[in-house]
Amino acid sequence: MKLSREEKQQTQKERERVYKIIKYDVNRKYFGDWTPAGLNATYNTPSPISFYIGVLSVDKICDALWKEMSYNPERFGTVSPFKFNGQNSIDFFINQEIDLYDNDYEVLVMLQSYLLRFWNLALQYDKSLVVTNCLKNTNITISTHFSSNPNTKPTPNAAYIMLGCLRDSIHKIATQNIKDFGKAIYRDQIVDTVKSRYPQYFATTKTTGTNEKLKTHLSERQYLLDMIRDKEEEIMNTQSRIDTLNEFENPGDTSNDTALLNKQKEDLKNLETNLQLITQRIQKIKQQQYEH
């Protein structure tokens, strides 16, 4: 059945909203009270930092990972791979054998690798974790070792690497979800799952004519505002990494970050141009309504 123009616009808006929900977000608190952006900001710090993580437990970690995976049932199924006899367990997950022919094999194997490293480092940090299933401290000290060799990059301590494994686990899942979102066989189920979980983001009202155009443009403007905010945060994080590396007596290689920063600034410029055009269209429609 051929969709009308309004139905196509609505479908596109829904997909944009779903994309924003499932994409990797450095400012999202996936595992309690810290964000990937907050962790990234501690990288290469000259002095030890007390980094607040809140209560970090096995349940929080497993539930967070499964939440992102469950958006994509065609890829990851409908049963959490972290639950054994009704209980979350990182230890059991990292020791289970993954079927080579499973649709989620590649992702699960990578998760096992990340979580194995996390688990080993976490047990070194807190031996009681194996019993309590919860880290004993809500703050973790992060520090960096700086080599006298100018060609050697600074090395973060075990605490940073431990949390970095969780960050990379979420990133792996979100990256796979976004990749699958580009394929109809996965996308339709992802959209249905996200819409059922967050119906408040997809409520629609029937309007016609000029009001429908205005509603569409207002939605597009909000989407662009959200994208601009995210891009500005990405630029800030990239610039922070560059500034940090340049503060060292022997600055690290910033060529990749500089190239990324230039690309992010160009993307921001395009978003701002599109926002200006949408804003002009909104103002024109409102003026026409006022005149009539």
Side-chain angles (χ1 to χ4, degrees):
M1 183 176 65
K2 188 175 181 180
L3 297 178
S4 67
R5 181 172 178 273
E6 289 76 14
E7 288 172 329
K8 288 180 180 179
Q9 289 176 335
Q10 182 62 35
T11 298
Q12 181 60 30
K13 286 186 291 183
E14 287 181 351
R15 289 181 179 178
E16 290 169 353
R17 173 58 64 181
V18 170
Y19 182 94
K20 185 172 179 60
I21 289 173
I22 68 172
K23 74 177 182 122
Y24 177 68
D25 185 350
V26 296
N27 296 294
R28 189 175 299 168
K29 293 181 178 181
Y30 291 101
F31 302 103
D33 294 306
W34 60 280
T35 66
L39 178 64
N40 295 344
T42 69
Y43 182 65
N44 287 352
T45 52
S47 301
I49 290 178
S50 179
F51 185 63
Y52 181 70
I53 61 172
V55 177
L56 185 59
S57 66
V58 169
D59 276 338
K60 280 192 175 182
I61 293 168
C62 293
D63 288 345
L65 295 172
W66 173 240
K67 177 182 178 182
E68 300 304 309
M69 294 168 71
S70 66
Y71 290 139
N72 192 355
E74 182 66 25
R75 170 73 63 180
F76 297 113
T78 57
V79 178
S80 171
F82 308 105
K83 281 192 180 293
F84 299 85
N85 296 324
Q87 301 294 322
N88 284 317
S89 175
I90 294 176
D91 189 26
F92 276 104
F93 172 73
I94 59 181
N95 286 293
Q96 72 170 313
E97 184 176 351
I98 308 299
D99 190 333
L100 176 63
Y101 298 101
D102 281 354
N103 196 29
D104 53 4
Y105 173 81
E106 180 184 348
V107 177
L108 290 184
V109 168
M110 286 300 300
L111 291 182
Q112 281 186 323
S113 176
Y114 290 136
L115 292 179
L116 173 61
R117 195 173 191 193
F118 164 81
W119 191 243
N120 289 335
L121 290 171
L123 289 178
Q124 292 176 26
Y125 174 78
D126 179 6
K127 290 182 173 57
S128 67
L129 176 63
V130 71
V131 176
T132 64
N133 283 325
C134 183
L135 289 181
K136 59 185 177 181
N137 295 327
T138 57
N139 283 73
I140 288 183
T141 300
I142 294 178
S143 60
T144 304
H145 172 72
F146 297 91
S147 172
S148 57
N149 184 344
N151 296 319
T152 302
K153 290 185 177 182
T155 305
N157 70 343
Y160 179 94
I161 296 172
M162 179 177 71
L163 296 179
C165 289
L166 298 182
R167 173 199 60 201
D168 296 344
S169 296
I170 280 288
H171 185 268
K172 178 64 179 178
I173 297 168
T175 300
Q176 185 64 58
N177 285 344
I178 291 298
K179 185 185 298 184
D180 288 344
F181 196 62
K183 304 172 184 177
I185 187 175
Y186 297 103
R187 182 176 57 245
D188 292 345
Q189 288 200 39
I190 291 174
V191 170
D192 289 344
T193 300
V194 174
K195 286 177 65 176
S196 66
R197 191 171 296 178
Y198 306 104
Q200 67 274 25
Y201 295 150
F202 300 93
T204 58
T205 56
K206 293 184 177 181
T207 56
T208 58
T210 302
N211 287 337
E212 177 62 26
K213 290 183 180 179
L214 178 59
K215 178 176 175 291
T216 298
H217 291 330
L218 288 173
S219 177
E220 291 171 344
R221 183 177 68 175
Q222 185 57 53
Y223 172 72
L224 287 169
L225 287 170
D226 290 342
M227 292 291 289
I228 287 172
R229 182 199 62 202
D230 290 347
K231 189 61 63 177
E232 288 174 339
E233 290 173 347
E234 290 176 13
I235 290 173
M236 180 181 66
N237 291 332
T238 304
Q239 186 65 63
S240 177
R241 288 198 303 272
I242 293 173
D243 293 343
T244 299
L245 288 173
N246 286 333
E247 289 175 358
F248 302 144
E249 184 176 348
N250 296 306
D253 182 8
T254 62
S255 57
N256 289 338
D257 278 328
T258 299
L260 175 61
L261 181 64
N262 291 335
K263 176 64 166 57
Q264 289 171 336
K265 287 182 176 179
E266 183 64 27
D267 291 342
L268 177 61
K269 183 178 179 181
N270 291 334
L271 288 170
E272 289 174 336
T273 298
N274 290 336
L275 176 63
Q276 184 178 14
L277 292 173
I278 290 296
T279 301
Q280 289 173 350
R281 291 173 185 171
I282 291 172
Q283 292 173 340
K284 183 177 180 180
I285 291 176
K286 287 184 175 180
Q287 180 63 31
Q288 290 174 341
Q289 291 178 331
Y290 175 78
E291 291 173 352
H292 289 85

